Amino acid sequence: MRRLIIFLMTALSSFVMARQLILATTTSAYNTGLLDFLKPVFEEKYKHTLSIIAVGTGMALEYGKRGDADVLLVHSPQDEEQFMKENHGILRVSFMYNDFIIVGPEEIELPAFKNVDEFFKYIYDNKLMFVSRGDESGTHKREKQIWQLSNLVPENEKWYIKTGQSMAKTLLIADEKRGFTLTDRSTFLSLKDRLDMKIFFEGDQKLLNIYSLIVVNPNKSNKINYEGALDFVRFILDPSTLKMIESYSVNNTKLFSLLFRPR
């Protein structure tokens, strides 16, 4: 009986100590499976219950502004900097990256391009079908920046389609419609076996894709799990976690690189 009481007290104590931690993350990070891979490791080490909300970066930042998330994983540097300037966040740490690529139908052959602006102009001039996320995500905002820098406006063109969907769903739609799309490399590689698509352009500096963690300002809401958010940052920046991120692979291909080396 005494053992049973001790067991119940220990279980109750663990239950009370455990608190939900809400992570609002870009779908391009979630769709790779990385966060599901890290989730049980974090929960075991820090005794928080991690709830993951996968949305576009724009929506993740809105969750933070409303105090509906504790910590954010996003990839739109300009918007993140504005978020911090407006005092919505307490701490921002950039820690990993991959890159954006342009993919399209395997059966199509195109000439070589010097830069991503030249590629987008070719798409525009030749009215090739382009499938955009159209959801104000980090990927969509990067795409819009490239169009704007090229002084091109694809809006309302018949060949330009907005999905309003995640990166994974947008890739599947682009594949079905035999169109081109801008995607992060990791999501493309994680879905490659399901797609009849290939990489048409890569390597431009404008296509660098940096991911950051942001701890939401606890003044946003009395529901903010500030300590849990700090614990998540500690967990991600722990050398052992960074090594797991660096070695994480899908189809024998590593998906992310680190901005700094773990000691």
Side-chain angles (χ1 to χ4, degrees):
M1 183 66 176
R2 183 169 176 271
R3 289 182 179 178
L4 177 60
I5 292 173
I6 292 173
F7 171 78
L8 291 174
M9 289 178 63
T10 302
L12 179 60
S13 175
S14 298
F15 176 77
V16 170
M17 289 176 62
R19 185 178 173 191
Q20 183 185 44
L21 177 68
I22 299 176
L23 167 66
T25 176
T26 170
T27 58
S28 65
Y30 181 73
N31 287 336
T32 64
L34 174 65
L35 293 172
D36 286 332
F37 172 67
L38 296 176
K39 181 178 187 290
V41 184
F42 169 73
E43 291 180 334
E44 174 63 26
K45 186 171 184 178
Y46 285 95
K47 308 305 179 186
H48 297 288
T49 301
L50 182 63
S51 295
I52 302 172
I53 302 173
V55 290
T57 285
M59 184 56 67
L61 292 170
E62 286 301 316
Y63 270 87
K65 291 178 182 179
R66 299 197 304 256
D68 290 334
D70 307 307
V71 62
L72 315 176
L73 175 54
V74 286
H75 66 142
S76 184
Q78 289 184 344
D79 294 311
E80 295 162 27
E81 290 167 6
Q82 187 62 34
F83 184 90
M84 299 301 290
K85 285 180 182 178
E86 294 173 358
N87 202 33
H88 299 302
I90 292 293
L91 174 68
R92 172 175 173 253
V93 181
S94 301
F95 67 102
M96 70 178 186
Y97 69 95
N98 56 16
D99 62 342
F100 292 108
I101 55 178
I102 303 170
V103 300
E106 284 188 336
E107 67 274 12
I108 293 179
E109 294 297 331
L110 295 182
F113 301 95
K114 295 179 181 178
N115 53 55
V116 69
D117 303 307
E118 192 177 277
F119 188 95
F120 268 48
K121 188 175 188 310
Y122 186 91
I123 292 283
Y124 189 93
D125 290 344
N126 291 275
K127 302 185 185 302
L128 301 179
M129 182 172 289
F130 190 93
V131 182
S132 168
R133 284 185 62 167
D135 62 350
E136 295 304 315
S137 61
T139 304
H140 180 218
K141 290 187 177 185
R142 183 62 60 88
E143 177 214 319
K144 290 198 299 182
Q145 288 171 2
I146 297 170
W147 289 120
Q148 290 167 0
L149 290 171
S150 303
N151 295 315
L152 301 173
V153 182
E155 303 287 339
N156 302 320
E157 296 285 350
K158 291 182 179 179
W159 50 266
Y160 185 76
I161 299 172
K162 291 182 178 181
T163 68
Q165 301 288 331
S166 69
M167 192 68 256
K169 290 182 179 177
T170 298
L171 275 166
L172 292 170
I173 291 170
D175 184 45
E176 179 184 350
K177 293 185 175 294
R178 312 312 295 149
F180 295 84
T181 192
L182 178 74
T183 176
D184 65 288
R185 187 184 297 270
S186 297
T187 305
F188 175 69
L189 291 175
S190 67
L191 287 175
K192 195 173 187 304
D193 290 346
R194 299 172 58 187
L195 304 170
D196 293 319
M197 305 180 82
K198 65 182 179 182
I199 298 173
F200 277 87
F201 189 83
E202 59 187 332
D204 194 304
Q205 184 64 27
K206 292 178 182 178
L207 299 180
L208 182 64
N209 184 27
I210 297 175
Y211 291 87
S212 301
L213 285 173
I214 296 178
V215 174
V216 175
N217 189 334
N219 292 331
K220 288 291 172 182
S221 170
N222 57 15
K223 298 181 295 183
I224 296 290
N225 185 352
Y226 181 57
E227 289 301 322
L230 291 177
D231 281 342
F232 189 75
V233 174
R234 291 188 190 99
F235 168 72
I236 291 295
L237 299 183
D238 186 281
S240 62
T241 306
L242 290 173
K243 288 175 182 176
M244 285 191 284
I245 293 170
E246 188 176 37
S247 62
Y248 182 76
S249 64
V250 174
N251 297 327
N252 296 316
T253 302
K254 293 182 179 180
L255 300 188
F256 299 99
S257 298
L258 301 177
L259 286 171
F260 47 85
R261 306 302 308 168
R263 294 181 179 179

